[in-house]
Amino acid sequence: MEFEPKIPTSSTGDKTSFAYETARKRWPIIITQAIDDVYRTTGQTDDAAKRDEGKKIINDLATLKYEVQHDRALTPIPDDGVSDVATYNQILESLGKPTWLNVSWLFSECYLYRRINTFFKLSTHWKNYDIFARQKIKTFRSSRPAVLELAARYKDLITQLRAHSTEPASEEAEKLLFTEMCEICLWGNATDLSLLTSLSYEDIQKLQGSEARKKSEANILVNDLEAVYTQLKEAKKAGKKERVVDIVLDNAGFELYVDLILAGYLLTAGLATRVTLHAKSIPWFVSDVLPNDFGALLNALAAPVPFFETATEEEELQGKTPEKLSDKDKEELSFLFQEWSILHAEGALGLRANRFWTGPGSFWSLVDPNADEQTKELAADLRKSELVVFKGDLNYRKLVGDGEWDPTTPFTEAIGPLGPGSGINILALRTCKADVVVGLRKGLDEELRAQEGGGGELGARKWAWNGKYAVVSFSKGA
């Protein structure tokens, strides 16, 4: 626990926190959905042994749900053959005998998903089963309008970038485009896409659309994108042969889709020569990306007609028929598939999974000199990168150790040993969905709490719970 913050961390026992609500309301719902998923798959199999194991897993999940709802003590994770079990159990022992509704939020939530995974790892027929796969692909399918809109914009942009690649580009225009692409990646869901502008290549060259962009940027409370652009641009000007950008992924589905949009843009614009995507190795926090989610997304783009036009079970029950894709839609989706498949085949776009990302604590242990060899190799790779982008709320919480920092604490301080001197250039792209936030100007937290629904009257930071606001924080560690 040496590489953890020395300040209090968010607790499920704190009535003013989002942790309190999560443990009592969200976790039981998530476990219930997992039970429903396994029940559905169990009913669809003809393999008696798999069916029997499925019933046992359902029983294990139901027991876990009971423990959470009745505030039972967290118990050691059974050995399922993976080395991280010992780390989880050592930390659990160091906490005494914590119960579900009065324990470190970050540890207990990671423990929840790791323990669920053990139910499957200890089976014969369900070892690699993803209880959230149905949910993730369904969510991507429901994002169809935004998928098609962004596919059209991306095709036009990439085509124009290549057509004008030999022409001198305006520095301000390049910076504007970089900012636009990062903001798409930041908000990362179909609903929030409405905040963004629809700039054409010509608009960008004329620096048009800046007023429309101010609307989306108003909710970005910390914005270090200019420093990030300078970092990538200077590396390009220096003529470095290999310039890698790593992206530690968050959610699958549409968010992974926009992550790939950003990756493709960085490679085409010459701001990176290689992009490595980092996925989780086990089903994690419902919607996090696993390697199979990457394949599922590419398959959907490769065969969009059966994916988007085949009625789901729910649609069949409601008598609904999905709208057919236009020839233009198919062409634009095909363009994306070809682009990303070629980049992947050529090694410019890679995907890796590592157990480190599903560990029990903060990311500070990434630079622990006593870390295991796999973690040391990961840290060494990230130090070679021009930029490591951490997507989403959980990755942000792990960067700052989910500590109860004063909100004016500089980001570079709150990430502890991952800050200046770590050798790792870190960019956090995060929409706020938890209490912890750092890097704010003095007085801003109080202003936001004082707004209607901001939580000030309750002593809470409710304004930071629903993803309305975002922070884009950079630390130059190299």
Side-chain angles (χ1 to χ4, degrees), residues 138-163:
K138 180 182 177 182
T139 303
F140 180 60
R141 192 175 181 274
S142 68
S143 303
R144 169 176 161 162
V147 168
L148 298 178
E149 176 194 339
L150 205 47
R153 289 169 60 188
Y154 182 77
K155 179 176 181 288
D156 176 63
L157 179 67
I158 297 299
T159 303
Q160 292 293 325
L161 277 174
R162 288 187 179 137

Side-chain angles (χ1 to χ4, degrees), residues 187 218-219 221 430-432 448 451 463 466-471:
W187 296 111
N219 288 349
L221 307 178
R430 180 239 189 169
T431 53
C432 303
L448 293 168
Q451 293 179 358
W463 66 261
N466 59 14
K468 178 181 178 181
Y469 295 99
V471 288

Side-chain angles (χ1 to χ4, degrees), residues 30 50 122 156 225-227 246 264 266 284 377 471:
I30 289 166
K50 182 177 181 179
L122 291 173
D156 176 63
L225 282 179
E226 188 165 342
D246 288 84
L266 292 173
W284 191 246
E377 288 174 14
V471 288

Side-chain angles (χ1 to χ4, degrees), residues 5-275:
K6 302 301 183 186
I7 64 172
T9 59
S10 188
S11 168
T12 60
D14 178 2
K15 291 184 178 181
T16 67
S17 72
F18 192 52
Y20 188 89
E21 188 168 304
T22 296
R24 288 155 181 79
K25 295 180 181 178
R26 292 175 63 233
W27 288 349
I29 291 171
I30 289 166
I31 300 171
T32 299
Q33 290 171 339
I35 290 169
D36 291 344
D37 181 86
V38 177
Y39 180 82
R40 182 174 171 183
T41 302
T42 300
Q44 292 171 346
T45 182
D46 294 325
D47 186 323
K50 182 177 181 179
R51 200 161 51 238
D52 288 343
E53 279 191 336
K55 292 175 181 176
K56 181 184 182 305
I57 290 170
I58 289 170
N59 185 62
D60 289 339
L61 287 166
T63 301
L64 177 62
K65 179 182 173 182
Y66 178 89
E67 290 175 11
V68 172
Q69 289 182 308
H70 292 81
D71 198 22
R72 296 294 191 258
L74 280 70
T75 56
I77 296 174
D79 186 2
D80 59 11
V82 182
S83 60
D84 65 344
V85 170
T87 306
Y88 269 93
N89 288 340
Q90 284 167 8
I91 294 176
L92 178 59
E93 186 177 2
S94 74
L95 294 174
K97 293 185 178 179
T99 59
W100 280 101
L101 304 183
N102 190 22
V103 63
S104 158
W105 182 23
L106 182 60
F107 172 76
S108 58
E109 196 157 22
C110 293
Y111 166 94
L112 172 70
Y113 289 96
R114 184 61 185 88
R115 186 166 155 200
I116 288 173
N117 186 243
T118 302
F119 301 153
F120 296 88
K121 286 294 180 191
L122 291 173
S123 73
T124 301
H125 301 278
W126 297 77
K127 285 186 183 298
N128 298 310
Y129 184 76
D130 182 359
I131 45 173
F132 306 122
R134 280 194 183 96
Q135 202 170 327
K136 287 185 278 191
I137 205 68
K138 180 182 177 182
T139 303
F140 180 60
R141 192 175 181 274
S142 68
S143 303
R144 169 176 161 162
V147 168
L148 298 178
E149 176 194 339
L150 205 47
R153 289 169 60 188
Y154 182 77
K155 179 176 181 288
D156 176 63
L157 179 67
I158 297 299
T159 303
Q160 292 293 325
L161 277 174
R162 288 187 179 137
H164 296 274
S165 61
T166 58
E167 301 172 9
S170 155
E171 184 75 15
E172 283 302 309
E174 283 192 351
K175 191 188 297 182
L176 173 62
L177 180 55
F178 172 78
T179 303
E180 170 85 356
M181 301 308 286
C182 287
E183 286 183 14
I184 289 174
C185 195
L186 165 68
W187 296 111
N189 64 55
T191 305
D192 289 327
L193 263 191
S194 61
L195 289 171
L196 302 171
T197 62
S198 297
L199 296 183
S200 67
Y201 181 85
E202 288 73 20
D203 286 336
I204 290 164
Q205 296 307 310
K206 296 171 187 172
L207 302 182
Q208 291 179 0
S210 57
E211 287 302 316
R213 284 189 55 256
K214 284 179 184 175
K215 182 182 177 183
S216 68
E217 290 190 338
N219 288 349
I220 303 176
L221 307 178
V222 178
N223 195 340
D224 293 336
L225 282 179
E226 188 165 342
V228 177
Y229 175 76
T230 300
Q231 168 72 26
L232 296 179
K233 191 69 179 176
E234 287 182 353
K236 182 181 180 182
K237 285 179 180 176
K240 293 180 71 172
K241 186 176 180 182
E242 184 170 73
R243 290 170 284 108
V244 182
V245 171
D246 288 84
I247 303 177
V248 182
L249 300 169
D250 186 25
N251 296 327
F254 188 77
E255 187 170 329
L256 174 59
Y257 179 75
V258 295
D259 293 339
L260 288 167
I261 292 279
L262 177 63
Y265 156 72
L266 292 173
L267 292 166
T268 304
L271 291 172
T273 58
R274 181 160 55 88
V275 174

